[in-house]
Amino acid sequence: MGNDTIIRVESLKKSFKKGHETIEVLEAIDLEVKRGEGLSIMGASGTGKSTLLHLIGGLDRVDSGRIYHQDRDICTMDERAKAAFRNRSIGFVFQFHFLMPEFTAFENVMMPSLVSTKRSTLTRQKALDLLHDVGLDHRITHKPSELSGGEQQRVAVARALMMSPTVLLADEPTGNLDPDTGSEVIRLLERIRHDHEITMIIVTHNPLMAQTMDRIVELKGGLLEPYHP
């Protein structure tokens, strides 16, 4: 793998069982993503965009094929090693923020470091800095129920950056927001990508969000192809 390639997917296949029927979702997917690149994956509902993102993030197992993060094949990792890799190297932002309702914004952002048992003054300060970076330093003691939808998603973005991941994966991050709030999150992610020099892959139906990335591909019939509006 070249030094500028951070993710390489080779001959990836994934299917699901539905009763006695096997549904082929991804067929022979090949993909390379460069370090620092922004990639949008578009496609109709049900084509497997989220499935592909979850596989790249190590949240599900492939039927066959390989997924390399730099030179490490995550398909060969056991679940414990894969969980540690995800926590350390990948940030996730989903359509639904999945914040823990009983914890404050600050505690939610701190959560990845607590899971990894990294607790220090430096990690506390980093969580505060990230909340400031996403415009929420005045909301650090508020719980998710006390935040707007856009604010909750900003907390989720800060949480995704807590462990300084090399890759951020976002699955329809504006899908549950009104257009104005969604536009704010789009601008935030675009700024975050450049400020943190992070590789970002976004699954989206939103053409405005897709166009903020360096490259757009489309998932059709289980295969990836260049996107043509």
Side-chain angles (χ1 to χ4, degrees), residues 35 48 50 67 112 160 219-220:
R35 187 180 302 275
S50 294
I67 302 171
L219 191 55
K220 276 186 177 180

Side-chain angles (χ1 to χ4, degrees), residues 57-61 67 72-88:
L59 293 173
D60 198 0
R61 286 197 170 275
I67 302 171
R72 300 187 65 187
D73 181 1
I74 66 170
C75 299
T76 63
M77 295 179 182
D78 62 29
E79 291 305 318
R80 184 173 181 178
K82 195 182 294 185
F85 172 79
R86 284 196 305 265
N87 180 261
R88 183 178 60 254

Side-chain angles (χ1 to χ4, degrees), residues 30-51:
D30 293 308
L31 176 68
E32 282 198 9
V33 183
K34 303 299 183 184
R35 187 180 302 275
E37 183 179 14
L39 175 71
S40 293
I41 302 175
M42 299 192 73
S45 295
T47 54
K49 303 183 302 299
S50 294
T51 298

Side-chain angles (χ1 to χ4, degrees), residues 15-29:
S15 62
F16 295 100
K17 291 284 188 181
K18 186 176 181 181
H20 297 294
E21 183 183 5
T22 299
I23 301 173
E24 302 291 343
V25 178
L26 303 175
E27 300 181 23
I29 296 288

Side-chain angles (χ1 to χ4, degrees), residues 6-22:
I6 194 165
I7 295 173
R8 187 175 78 235
V9 177
E10 295 181 348
S11 304
L12 183 65
K13 293 186 179 183
K14 182 66 177 178
S15 62
F16 295 100
K17 291 284 188 181
K18 186 176 181 181
H20 297 294
E21 183 183 5
T22 299

Side-chain angles (χ1 to χ4, degrees), residues 212-223:
T212 65
M213 298 291 106
D214 300 313
R215 181 164 56 109
I216 307 174
V217 294
E218 186 172 15
L219 191 55
K220 276 186 177 180
L223 300 172

Side-chain angles (χ1 to χ4, degrees), residues 82-162:
K82 195 182 294 185
F85 172 79
R86 284 196 305 265
N87 180 261
R88 183 178 60 254
S89 301
I90 303 176
F92 295 93
V93 179
F94 299 101
Q95 178 175 349
F96 300 100
H97 50 75
F98 296 117
L99 300 178
M100 302 184 75
E102 66 272 30
F103 294 108
T104 65
F106 172 73
E107 290 165 338
N108 268 283
V109 174
M110 280 283 292
M111 200 58 62
S113 67
L114 299 177
V115 169
S116 71
T117 69
K118 290 183 178 179
R119 310 179 191 186
S120 69
T121 302
L122 288 177
T123 57
R124 290 176 63 85
Q125 187 57 52
K126 181 171 183 178
L128 293 173
D129 290 344
L130 285 169
L131 283 166
H132 173 77
D133 197 24
V134 300
L136 289 178
D137 45 357
H138 62 300
R139 305 288 263 168
I140 62 173
T141 61
H142 290 69
K143 294 183 178 180
S145 61
E146 301 169 314
L147 303 174
S148 69
E151 288 172 334
Q152 291 171 5
Q153 197 63 303
R154 286 172 179 268
V155 173
V157 170
R159 178 185 59 190
L161 297 170
M162 184 64 204

